[in-house]
Amino acid sequence: FGVYNCRIAIAVASVEGLNHPPDAFNTNTNGTIDVGYFRINSIHFKQTGCSLAEVITEKGNVLCAYSIWKQQGNFSAWVGFTNGNYMNNL
């Protein structure tokens, strides 16, 4: 993530799911699930490095989050970023 974006990534994870076990998940109203520290949404499970088996591990969850961030160029995939809640953890 780099020095600056690493701080944002940790802040985003803090409001998303960092306080839960890496294999913890929740079900969304649209039927998708969010998994782990970064609450990786199941829409990403077909992406390389983001299978369910990978995102339920600490390392896999962070690597998948990095992949999503790198692909999108920002943290907009996470509600904790788009709603500004991450800023309380910077």
Side-chain angles (χ1 to χ4, degrees), residues 47-62:
Q47 185 174 324
T48 301
C50 293
S51 70
L52 178 58
E54 291 166 305
V55 300
I56 63 170
T57 68
E58 294 95 342
K59 182 178 179 179
N61 200 267
V62 173

Side-chain angles (χ1 to χ4, degrees), residues 58-78:
E58 294 95 342
K59 182 178 179 179
N61 200 267
V62 173
L63 289 175
C64 178
Y66 175 74
S67 176
I68 294 166
W69 169 80
K70 191 173 179 181
Q71 180 182 34
Q72 295 185 354
N74 58 49
F75 291 96
S76 64
W78 291 274

Side-chain angles (χ1 to χ4, degrees), residues 19-49:
N19 58 334
H20 299 292
D23 60 348
F25 70 94
N26 62 281
T27 304
N28 300 307
T29 56
N30 65 0
T32 61
I33 63 170
D34 297 328
V35 181
Y37 300 144
F38 278 93
R39 290 297 191 232
I40 304 298
N41 189 276
S42 55
I43 64 168
H44 299 287
F45 289 175
K46 292 181 181 178
Q47 185 174 324
T48 301

